[in-house]
Amino acid sequence: MPQHPMLPPAFAGTGPAWHTTPAVAYAGTRVGAAQLEPPAEGWLRPGPTSPYLAPWYDHLRLARLTVLERLGITATMDTPDLLAALAALPQADSLQRALLHTLHATGEDALAALAQPPTQPDQATLATWPSPKEPTWRPDLLAAATANARANLHRKLARTSRSGYYPLAVAGGHIVYATRTPHLTEITDTPTSDFRIGISPGHVHPVAVRPLHWYTARCAEGTNPAQLLKDTCPSW
């Protein structure tokens, strides 16, 4: 699909892939529904139309907010107080931080882990995950979550670009922007920014600030700066 040269593609790859209805609808808004290829195959879930991952999502969200509250971070904090609390998080209780990291990893990796076969020689005799063999298992679960997240992120990137801010690098939910100040609010406070600072899913928070020469050096090495920050910054 056509797209701005300074924005990442809304969809990865060029061949067949699983996409959710919201992601396809977003593609229609970018190029026009008439230009979209018709679906080759579709999966319809019978019964209630509520999001099928909602119970899993709500459970993880509640657990995450509970641990953050134990660390003194709540969704009702003013932005300056929230940023100060997040900056002090590396020095907070180690046990609660470990639990927060576990929840973060579960949210990011659980669906992928369910679909993975054993990867190490000593795991060859282990039983595979039972979920993919159950009648309710959807082969597109991981792809569906990825498609929704990618379309939502691209929508936010496109709207924020109206203020002149374009991403320099993207890796998953990690985005590198060039700013005149080291403060994330320079972007989030612009009228057209679709990013909001917070602790709920979909909100953003600052994880690292690097000088521009660090970014150019990583690009010269052939390294994605956003991936490097994602791999080295502590998760929460």
Side-chain angles (χ1 to χ4, degrees), residues 27 30 70 105 140 144 147 154 158 174 180 213 215 221 230:
R30 303 292 297 181
R70 294 175 188 166
D140 64 329
H154 194 275
H174 285 64
R180 292 177 292 273
H213 64 76
Y215 166 81
E221 297 169 354
K230 180 179 179 180

Side-chain angles (χ1 to χ4, degrees), residues 41-62:
E41 183 178 357
W43 285 72
L44 300 178
R45 189 177 181 86
T49 57
S50 61
Y52 49 86
L53 292 177
W56 177 78
Y57 166 88
D58 291 340
H59 186 71
L60 278 180
R61 179 180 181 275
L62 178 59

Side-chain angles (χ1 to χ4, degrees), residues 11-186:
F11 300 97
T14 57
W18 289 107
H19 295 295
T20 58
T21 300
V24 173
Y26 177 65
T29 65
R30 303 292 297 181
V31 301
Q35 299 185 47
L36 295 179
E37 292 288 335
E41 183 178 357
W43 285 72
L44 300 178
R45 189 177 181 86
T49 57
S50 61
Y52 49 86
L53 292 177
W56 177 78
Y57 166 88
D58 291 340
H59 186 71
L60 278 180
R61 179 180 181 275
L62 178 59
R64 186 169 170 273
L65 292 177
T66 299
V67 176
L68 284 170
E69 186 173 0
R70 294 175 188 166
L71 293 167
I73 300 174
T74 67
T76 58
M77 299 176 74
D78 293 333
T79 298
D81 294 334
L82 175 61
L83 292 176
L86 291 175
L89 192 57
Q91 288 75 47
D93 181 84
S94 59
L95 179 60
Q96 296 302 318
R97 285 191 291 113
L99 181 56
L100 194 62
H101 174 78
T102 301
L103 292 170
H104 178 84
T106 300
E108 283 207 339
D109 304 331
L111 289 174
L114 282 174
Q116 282 182 342
T119 57
Q120 301 298 326
D122 60 347
Q123 296 176 337
T125 59
L126 298 179
T128 58
W129 290 98
S131 296
K133 297 180 180 179
E134 295 177 359
T136 55
W137 172 255
R138 291 272 298 264
D140 64 329
L141 277 177
L142 177 59
T146 302
N148 274 352
R150 191 178 187 93
N152 288 336
L153 178 60
H154 194 275
R155 183 184 293 108
K156 294 179 180 181
L157 294 175
R159 290 179 180 175
T160 303
S161 69
R162 297 173 186 172
S163 295
Y165 291 98
Y166 291 91
L168 298 182
V170 179
H174 285 64
I175 310 165
V176 175
Y177 275 105
T179 58
R180 292 177 292 273
T181 71
H183 305 295
L184 181 60
T185 52
E186 179 183 327

